[in-house]
Amino acid sequence: MRFTFLLLITLFFLSCSGEAQTYPDSNWVVNENPAKSGWRDEDRSAFTQYIIDSTNITGLTIIHKGEIVLQYGDIEETSYIASCRKSVLAMLYGKYVDNRQIDLNKTLGELQIEDHSPLLEIEKSATIKDVISARSGVFLYGSNGGDFRRMAPERGSVKPGSYWLYSNWDFNLAGHIFEQETNQNIFDEIEVQLAKPLQMQDWDRSLQRKDGDLTVSKFPAYHMWFSTRDMARLGLLMLRNGKWKEQQILPKDWVQEMINQRTSYKEAQKNVPVLKKDGLDLGYGYMWWLVENTEDYRIKNAYSAQGALGQNITVYPEIDVVLAFKTKSDYRRGNSIQKQMKVIRKVAATYRPYN
């Protein structure tokens, strides 16, 4: 009688604790029956055919509830992830914001930041928080291209924090500030904070390097090389609010801070009108893009790391899904941002849970 009572109590508490979350170990778990989970065979086949026929993607995987439900191409191959690097850097900040080694309210003046062109007094009042949200109001050229600096207003014309512009000067400075304030190398921190705890399968520290024209700006770009399946681990860590198995890798509050809206899609499109043509309305947090203004519940609250030519990590919190894909430029292949947005929407449409 006593045993039966204890068994019932145990079962009750287990049922209240929620579904156990799945994480990969050294290898990903593959869902052997994805159709049962809402990924019908015909829908997955149609999606894969779209990737083959209409994109130049070289590796893609969809993770649902911690398991692979679809993969295409070479997901082990390591290659350049372009501007996804910025979102990875944002993740690294969390540990040091949490322990107060990085004070987001410090100004560029207090940090003694100077470039080849001296900062104006108004620009020196920009904070680290402004820099990592692309709102510094410092419209200098970065050491590498691939941003919207050409659309910047006149220097000194806006108050720091009041104007959003996707600028590599901000993003590269964010890397410099990180290393200055922590006395740590970005790539070493990726290895310690992310690659080892997440048991990344393909991480190679020797591939990572900084680059840029340092005659234009003192601050180099911190370029990164990842595989698709390791990018998916980063997405899953974000989806799980910084927790990996029993370990809190990133401060939970910091994950929410990164994806908290700092710039609405309306402001982003006003400052950079070309963004209206992307196919999704995107706001901005701390170096993560935020999907806004959508009627599809599956995409609601989704957010992305995005890189030129077709590098992407998208997290869909409402349906417990992570999408990761890449387009290796060495193959002379590329995908426009519009194509990336279409893939994001098609993944959501492919998921049709049974009622």
Side-chain angles (χ1 to χ4, degrees), residues 297-350:
Y297 81 94
R298 296 165 294 193
I299 306 180
K300 185 179 179 182
N301 299 318
Y303 52 92
S304 294
Q306 298 177 11
L309 302 179
Q311 329 305 324
N312 194 285
I313 306 168
T314 295
V315 178
Y316 305 75
E318 301 302 316
I319 56 174
D320 204 353
V321 166
V322 172
L323 163 69
F325 63 87
K326 62 178 22 252
T327 311
K328 187 172 180 179
S329 58
D330 290 357
Y331 298 142
R332 297 187 178 183
R333 299 170 72 86
N335 288 286
S336 67
I337 188 66
Q338 291 82 8
K339 188 69 69 175
Q340 289 193 52
M341 298 304 101
K342 194 165 186 178
V343 171
I344 289 171
R345 295 199 311 271
K346 280 190 171 290
V347 167
T350 302

Side-chain angles (χ1 to χ4, degrees), residues 102-117:
I102 293 179
D103 178 357
L104 295 182
N105 293 312
K106 265 191 178 180
T107 67
L108 302 191
E110 292 171 328
L111 293 163
Q112 299 183 321
I113 299 299
E114 286 293 352
D115 210 336
H116 297 308
S117 178

Side-chain angles (χ1 to χ4, degrees), residues 171-290:
F171 302 130
N172 295 341
L173 176 61
H176 171 82
I177 290 172
F178 177 85
E179 295 192 335
Q180 174 178 297
E181 295 300 282
T182 66
N183 294 313
Q184 301 295 330
N185 177 278
I186 288 171
F187 304 133
D188 291 341
E189 281 293 293
I190 292 174
E191 186 159 304
V192 171
Q193 286 197 48
L194 301 172
K196 288 183 177 179
L198 273 54
Q199 295 179 275
M200 287 188 179
Q201 293 163 271
D202 309 302
W203 167 257
D204 186 343
R205 172 64 179 83
S206 69
L207 294 176
Q208 319 304 317
R209 63 179 183 270
K210 296 174 183 174
D211 199 3
D213 186 344
L214 300 187
T215 66
V216 174
S217 172
K218 294 179 181 179
F219 311 119
Y222 38 92
H223 294 308
M224 300 176 190
W225 280 253
F226 282 89
S227 69
T228 305
R229 61 185 181 181
D230 284 347
M231 290 165 68
R233 289 177 188 253
L234 295 173
L236 185 60
L237 179 65
M238 290 291 291
L239 177 64
R240 299 283 167 80
N241 288 307
K243 189 175 182 180
W244 196 262
K245 300 179 181 177
E246 300 304 317
Q247 185 179 359
Q248 193 70 42
I249 304 293
L250 304 178
K252 182 178 180 180
D253 291 345
W254 181 248
V255 174
Q256 294 307 310
E257 284 292 300
M258 282 189 282
I259 60 175
N260 186 29
Q261 184 201 76
R262 311 289 162 179
T263 300
S264 71
Y265 79 91
K266 290 182 179 179
E267 181 183 359
Q269 292 178 2
K270 178 183 177 182
N271 295 356
V272 183
V274 69
L275 294 177
K276 295 177 183 178
K277 301 177 181 180
D278 284 354
L280 279 174
D281 291 326
L282 300 175
Y284 208 67
Y286 285 155
M287 296 190 277
W288 283 84
W289 293 94
L290 315 176

Side-chain angles (χ1 to χ4, degrees), residues 50-69:
Y50 168 79
I51 297 300
I52 295 169
D53 293 342
S54 303
T55 79
N56 289 316
I57 287 172
T58 53
L60 177 147
T61 189
I62 300 173
I63 311 300
H64 182 218
K65 296 187 177 181
E67 299 179 347
I68 291 177
V69 292

